Amino acid sequence: MLTVLANGATYRVLYVEDDPQMATDFNQAFGETASITTVNSIKEALFCLEADPDIDLVVFNDRLNAKKFLNAIQSIPTSGKLSTILLTAEASIDLSVEPFRGRVIDVFHYGYSEAAFQTRLSYLILKKQYAESGNQTPKAPSVRMPIGKRLFDIVFSFLLLLLISPLLLIVAILVKLDSKGPIFYGSKRVGMGYRVFNMYKFRTMRTDADKMLASMASRNMYNIKKLEEPADQLCEACRLAGTECQKPLFLDDKQVCEDIHFRNEKAKAMFSKFKEDPRVTRLGKFLRNTSIDELPQFYNILRGDMSFVGNRPLPPYEAEKLTAAGYARRFAAPAGLTGLWQVTKRGGAVVSDQERIQLDVLYAKKFSFKTDLMIVIRTLKAIWQKENV
């Protein structure tokens, strides 16, 4: 039975797919959840979007050239409110670069779990239902910064900005002389309660850093070493039973085991961080090793975007991956200049993205004045520690 929204309408999905069997399977799987219109080309998709401004979501098969489609829809007046989910065979797609930035909200690989896609689709429907009901998300006490913590942040961030103002001026001049580009780098970050704000640092990277990111995926410190795939493409259970693959998937006309495929999918990193990052400038390495590049964030603390201690605010494309209940708890804590993860794993220690999330969630559950004081003391001890990341 289709989900009916507050205005009596249904959630509208445009599915762009040229494979009749995949189109049929998609409609059978999700046709009872949303109203699905299927087209088989970019031309037909653009016609539908221009004719029907009420389409909520586009599900696009990357095989049909997603970049061309995303560039083309920018000329449609209503495309600003349109979300896109990509179906792809690509190992990884950087959603922080154009034309994906701000338009593609999720990526599902061929052979994806229908249950996982159903969960994502249901979330989007509920999100629209709530928005159309005229309600606003209440500010729950669990995601409100304690008054004492906020007063501490205001007083000390103001005093520190006054004390270090000569240093800030000197660093600003050096950044300008060291390389072309702006003095400060401001980027969107997601903090407490999924609030989005501009976080400021001294610029430590080249101006073309974002363009270089896509080619550096293999150097990500959060990558989990990919397990070697068996030549016979059989999982351990099938091999021990002496049978053929009991869970076959077909990706690009090649049969793979579902268990092996999803094991590799889980190995993909949620965060990005690089050792000996080639995008960092000469001065930028020094500023990062001494944490001087973080000093402009005292302004973010004074504004209330962040606190001295908390969970590091994430770029939107990383935060969007952490919407499951077990992960989202990290956003119940204030965004911080330093935090439990930094003082626990700083200095080149091996850390997985799951360990980082667990530390963030732990802080969200346990943070207090005593915890914050301990983290500040450990941060001061570690602040001069060298790490080229």
Side-chain angles (χ1 to χ4, degrees), residues 265-295:
E265 287 297 303
K266 289 180 180 179
K268 293 176 181 176
M270 294 182 180
F271 306 108
S272 297
K273 194 172 187 179
F274 307 95
K275 192 170 184 67
E276 298 293 346
D277 195 330
R279 301 171 298 165
V280 179
T281 63
R282 293 170 298 174
L283 177 63
K285 291 181 180 179
F286 171 77
L287 296 180
R288 287 186 168 205
N289 288 343
T290 58
S291 298
I292 291 175
D293 65 314
E294 308 277 0
L295 294 182

Side-chain angles (χ1 to χ4, degrees), residues 95-139:
L95 300 186
S96 67
V97 301
E98 298 296 342
F100 306 106
R101 187 201 302 266
R103 297 185 178 278
V104 177
I105 62 170
D106 215 336
V107 174
F108 284 80
H109 296 85
Y110 298 154
Y112 59 87
S113 163
E114 290 184 359
F117 194 97
Q118 181 69 60
T119 300
R120 189 67 161 117
L121 183 59
S122 298
Y123 166 77
L124 293 172
I125 293 173
L126 289 173
K127 181 179 178 181
K128 183 175 182 180
Q129 276 184 316
Y130 196 81
E132 291 190 348
S133 70
N135 294 319
Q136 293 183 351
T137 304
K139 294 182 178 179

